[in-house]
Each structure stands twice: as C-alpha cells, then as structure tokens.
Amino acid sequence: MTVTAQSQTPVSTTWHRLHPLWQGDETEIQTGLPHEQLSPAWQILLLGDGSPTRHLQLLTREPTEVDVIDMSPIGMNRDRAPGQISAIPGPRLRRQVWLRTASGQRLAYATSWWEASHVDDYLQNRSLPIWASLAQLRTELYRDIQGLYYGHSQALEEAFEQPGPFWGRHYLFWHHKRPFTLIYEVFSPYLIQYLGPTG
C-alpha cells in the first residue's frame, strides 16, 4: 500500500527532537570531537557511516527489532525536521520507531522522512529495520551524516527509563546520487554498559 498525502496535510502527531545543549555540524563530523567530550567508542557509533542497527546487534548479541510507533503523511510540512528535509521530494511520510533488543530493551529512537510515493520501494516490510530492508534489496547507499546533538527530551527519558542528556544525529541516505530519506536518531545511555562512558 502506498501512502499519499496532500500538500497541506496537518501534522497531528509529534516526534521526539532533542533540545540541544550542544550541537555540531559537518566540521565536527569530519574532524571528530575531543575524547573528553565524546569517547572514541561512542564516536564510532555516532560518526561512523555503518548501520546502527547492525552495530547494536553486535554490541548486545541480540537481534535488533523495530517497534513502529508512527507512519504519518505530512504532505509538504517541514515538520520541525532538520533543514535537509528539503532534499526529500514531497509529499512526504514520517516514520517513527524504537530500536530494541529481542528481549525488549530500548536502545535507540529514530524518525525518518520519506517521499510518500516511494516509501514502499525501500520499506517493503515496514516492521524490519531500515538496514535489514535495504540489505534484502541489495541496495547500495551512502550515509551522509549532517548533524550531531547532545541534549534533553522528557519523552525519551520516560521511554528509555534513563536520565538525559542524550546523544543523537541526523543524516541523509543517498542512492543513485539522490537522497531518498532523512533520518534523525537518538541513542539510549543504556549503551554505556557496552561502549563505556560517553566522555
């Protein structure tokens, strides 16, 4: 089923954007951060261009599963998203998920924005992590990290059952030299037990 949206569709649900205490741009992403600000292990997770779903599975030694909590047509609404949303043709669809272990521990939160008419091309099984869906399709892609965040979210504190602040990022996925989705991710401090302290 393809989701369509009118250009003026009101957006009825919200997504969990961090209220940043600090944020970095392409300069920090390219050079990396001082290790006292963000440890090397956390920098590999946040600034590396590999699949976070795969990384989480390797860390926890459990399958990473997805709880889809929102699939909303948003039309041409900018949705308080990072500015790179303009690279995704509209009308758009917003998808929100929890990434968790098979045993139920929430590890990350992600929001992604898609061209509504093409979302089914990439997410044929919407309950799978994006990485798993694209791997099944043998899709070649490039993860272009655009922003890094350290900040608070009351909703995420409650959902992760962990106090903030949290580290997050946003990036574009490119395929055939065109961006096809914008993704905003926030990671739970629960990962400290695998990666060590953040800084």
Side-chain angles (χ1 to χ4, degrees):
M1 179 183 78
T2 300
V3 178
T4 59
Q6 300 302 314
S7 62
Q8 300 304 315
T9 302
V11 179
S12 58
T13 57
T14 59
W15 62 280
H16 307 312
R17 183 175 184 155
L18 293 177
H19 302 285
L21 299 169
W22 176 91
Q23 63 187 78
D25 58 20
E26 290 181 73
T27 301
E28 286 86 3
I29 291 162
Q30 292 301 317
T31 61
L33 302 180
H35 290 172
E36 60 270 17
Q37 183 178 3
L38 187 63
S39 74
W42 279 86
Q43 291 199 51
I44 289 169
L45 177 67
L46 283 157
L47 302 179
D49 59 6
S51 162
T53 307
R54 177 72 172 142
H55 290 162
L56 295 174
Q57 188 168 313
L58 292 170
L59 288 171
T60 64
R61 300 196 45 83
E62 287 190 57
T64 302
E65 298 187 355
V66 167
D67 292 326
V68 180
I69 56 175
D70 171 43
M71 291 282 284
S72 295
I74 63 167
M76 298 304 294
N77 193 303
R78 294 188 64 85
D79 202 29
R80 299 183 307 118
Q84 289 81 5
I85 193 172
S86 62
I88 308 302
R92 303 180 189 101
L93 177 86
R94 184 219 301 129
R95 177 182 190 249
Q96 297 185 71
V97 302
W98 299 114
L99 299 178
R100 61 170 175 81
T101 62
S103 59
Q105 177 64 51
R106 285 181 180 160
L107 304 173
Y109 162 80
T111 302
S112 54
W113 293 269
W114 304 76
E115 184 179 1
S117 61
H118 289 299
V119 67
D120 290 320
D121 297 343
Y122 297 105
L123 297 179
Q124 294 176 0
N125 180 345
R126 295 184 182 187
S127 65
L128 287 177
I130 291 172
W131 168 75
S133 295
L134 298 175
Q136 284 184 352
L137 296 170
R138 299 291 190 263
T139 303
E140 294 182 12
L141 50 85
Y142 170 63
R143 188 185 315 267
D144 184 12
I145 301 168
Q146 297 280 319
L148 189 62
Y149 306 93
Y150 181 63
H152 288 285
S153 165
Q154 185 62 42
L156 292 180
E157 283 200 13
E158 293 170 8
F160 288 144
E161 299 180 342
Q162 299 277 338
F166 307 105
W167 282 96
R169 64 181 183 171
H170 78 268
Y171 54 89
L172 289 165
F173 260 149
W174 292 71
H175 180 53
H176 293 317
K177 299 183 179 180
R178 293 181 55 204
F180 70 90
T181 186
L182 171 66
I183 301 179
Y184 185 103
E185 293 170 337
V186 180
F187 294 92
S188 170
Y190 179 83
L191 294 170
I192 286 171
Q193 66 178 287
Y194 302 104
L195 296 169
T198 56

